[in-house]
Amino acid sequence: MNARRAISVFLATLLCASASRAETLNLLIWEDYIAESLIDRWTEKTGVSIRQINFDSDDARDEILADPGRNIDLVIVDENGATLFGRKGIIEPLSETNLPALADYAPQWRKSCAGYGLPYFWGTVGILYRSDVVTPPPTSWRDMMRPAPSLQKHIAMFADHSEIFVPPLMLLGASVNADDTATLKAAFALLKTQAPSVLTYDYVVTSIQDPALAGNIYLALGYSGDQHVLNSKAGKAGLWRYAVPKEGTLSWLDCFSVTAASPRKQRALEFLNFIGSPEAAAANAIALNMPTASSAALKLLPETMRSDPEIYPPSEIIAKNQHHQELSVRSIEARRRIINTLANFQ
């Protein structure tokens, strides 16, 4: 009898282990936005694999997230998205009860994720440039919006209804959240004037992988940290650099969230708790050259990284920066209409 029970327990253990190995979490995330070594460690530890589904704009992410057939378990959202999707019941409420790792994150970061996400990476929107071609380095949004003749058809913009308006609105001295008709018209005028110099309106990390475009992009709108991704894809360290214009820019925070509809919610929470631990968060930040939001992980980073202004901007730059606020439906629709006309002026 005991032998039979032992065999039954052994078989049950094998079945559980097999089920765990077969388990997969679907993660909706920007490309190259999590260290593969961490995913490998997680899978080795738990037997649960991570399937990454990449998006290259907030609009594209929202379309995928709205499709129930995609079975998304985890998603990267910005701070506005955390509030909006949380309010709509699309992502799961998080607290130290179901996500103990949150204890290592400062209250202001947690507040920004509105109780619906683990604060992940933060940064700025700025100008990415080829250091071997663009000299001197750009210092103003004017360098992008009213570019030199040598940059004609060498600029990559980013057709997202929020980010593409950062350069013209900052140059106008307006709020990045502006939604009045007069200000948006003025921003449109700058974008229309710039359009003949634009090679593509696709996100630079996506467009740089197109052989027809890669060698012709010298200047791009993007995020802090993108320069490291571009250098990795180019196989040449230091080729791409990043600059925050003197007028200031947009500061952002990404939140790592669990979807409310996930059938693997407990596993997703376990993965998030793993990623949010001090050691994993520090390793992730080092691998991606990105600023962590974890107070405990920050202490584990090398001083050279903590003092790097391309990773942790000086306080005088941060003081000029603005933050996203939730835009009205009318504003989003107006912005998208503007974006849809820009190709006509290229």
Side-chain angles (χ1 to χ4, degrees), residues 202-258:
D202 288 332
Y203 179 40
V204 64
V205 172
T206 301
S207 55
I208 205 75
Q209 298 176 70
D210 182 343
L213 301 177
N216 290 312
I217 301 174
Y218 301 160
L219 198 76
L221 178 66
Y223 302 109
S224 53
D226 282 348
Q227 70 272 32
H228 303 295
V229 178
L230 297 177
N231 287 331
S232 175
K233 293 186 180 300
K236 190 173 181 181
L239 177 66
W240 283 92
R241 301 296 301 270
Y242 176 80
V244 175
K246 62 185 179 182
E247 295 88 0
T249 189
L250 170 74
S251 283
W252 51 266
L253 168 68
D254 278 336
C255 308
F256 214 139
S257 300
V258 174

Side-chain angles (χ1 to χ4, degrees), residues 28 61-62 65-66 72-95 98 112-118 254-262 265 269 272:
L28 185 57
R61 177 203 62 209
D62 295 352
L65 194 58
I72 303 299
D73 301 293
L74 295 139
V75 60
I76 297 289
V77 295
D78 58 30
E79 48 198 302
N80 275 342
T83 301
L84 179 62
F85 292 128
R87 194 165 60 220
K88 290 185 175 182
I90 295 173
I91 53 179
E92 187 77 3
L94 299 177
S95 67
N98 60 359
S112 294
C113 288
Y116 291 99
L118 175 80
D254 278 336
C255 308
F256 214 139
S257 300
V258 174
T259 62
S262 170
K265 195 176 297 180
L269 286 166
L272 200 52

